[in-house]
Amino acid sequence: MPARKAVQLLIKARWIIPILPAERVYQDCAIAVSGGRIVAILPWEEADKQFTPEQSVNLDQHVVMPGLVNCHGHAAMSLLRGFADDYPLDTWLNQHIWPAEKAHVDGDFVRDGTELAIAEMIRSGTTCFADMYFFPEQVAKVARRAHMRSQITFPVLDFPTNWGEGPDEYIAKGLELHDEYRADDLIRIGFGPHAPYTVSDEHLQRIAVLAEEMQAPIQIHLHETAQEVEDSIAKYGMRPIERIHQLGLLTPQTQCVHMTQIDSTDLALLTQSGAHVIHCPESNLKLASGFCPVGQLIDNNTNVALGTDGAASNNDLNMLGELETAGLLAKAVAGNPAQPSAHEILAMATINGAKAMGLEGEIGSLEVGKAADIIALETKHIGCRPIYDIASTLAYNNRSLSVSHSWVAGRALMLSSHLQTLNERDIADKANAWSKKINRE
């Protein structure tokens, strides 16, 4: 008998949903991890014969799957969770959120808010998140310290904020941050023009050129509301997506966030450009912004990924809840209970998010050679019994499941529901202190 091979980690699970191959479920199998990467997926008995692990984790009441990919958010806004609820978007932004940000947002606010957000995301199964917010250098530091995979897009707007005086300064700072993390294996820096209505043609064009030269991602709020589209037609004589297309900003590296207002010309531009749609159903529902036509996008071969948006408008960062809402809403909007399927819903929260970020070769599915970004969910809760189809349970009944383990590149972020890279009590104390400060003022 050949000698057993030493590996870093062996995860034995009742079920494994790899996402790719599509619609596949493995039962009573193990994942072997070495050097932070998946080296094998095989039955328990074969794993015991082939490998000697440094650490073995037995999860015989669990389902294991790729870590969830949260493709859009504003992490530090977790400190504004519940601060201004039940307002339309324009009122919410102009009368509540932007004044609060002007008064309170600085490096410390972003550091503490990002820690709070990452802790919540780890607890709910996210292993990779996209962020667009001020002081992105603080977001990057916290993400690196927590060993969390991330895409951090630095904001660009035409007006001054607490982070800078205007577009030229934002871009200069962002390029410096990009250079600092150029070789980082977990953090990718990109461009975050806030929206077509807050960034001029001149600066959108400059971002398009720089992003192409650097092969960097672009994330932009787009077609979030009907009013945005109407205002663009009145001012520019065209819809926002047509405008950014003409400016060179709509490419396979562009992530279009929200897209609740889509007509046939928009669909054609998305298909032609290869741009991605980031669907944030719960934030859109809460702000009454509209419905993203996920079924139409899927039919047109447009990649649809999911994001939570910020906790100030959601009010949580739980991607499990988001994927369930996305699936149910898509069926209602399309009038088709078969689309999307449970496996397609899970794909939107994993491999589709990886594709949107240009990371599909690294994460988003459990395949040999990919990074070991893995989560485990416990299934012993009475509310999820019986289990006929574990993918359906995850898509439609995941409130009865709890995330118990999380790894990024083979390093544990959570074991048996205990965070490993963050101090939860300290984070909660800081959040409470910020709440008291903001309430006083």
Side-chain angles (χ1 to χ4, degrees), residues 21-23 56 61 75 78 85 92 101 114 116 119 150 153 155 187 196 246 255 292 298 309 314 339 359 388 391 412:
E23 301 190 12
S56 183
Q61 295 294 317
S78 292
D85 285 341
W92 180 78
E101 289 179 329
T114 301
L116 176 63
S150 60
T153 55
I187 296 173
Q246 290 191 4
Q255 303 157 17
C292 179
I298 292 173
D309 210 346
N314 185 308
Q339 187 188 61
L359 296 174
Y388 296 110

Side-chain angles (χ1 to χ4, degrees), residues 191 204-215 218 247-249:
F191 294 83
L204 289 173
Q205 283 181 311
R206 185 182 174 198
I207 289 168
V209 171
L210 288 170
E212 178 63 27
E213 289 176 355
M214 297 160 56
Q215 288 297 290
I218 300 168
L247 295 171
L249 203 74

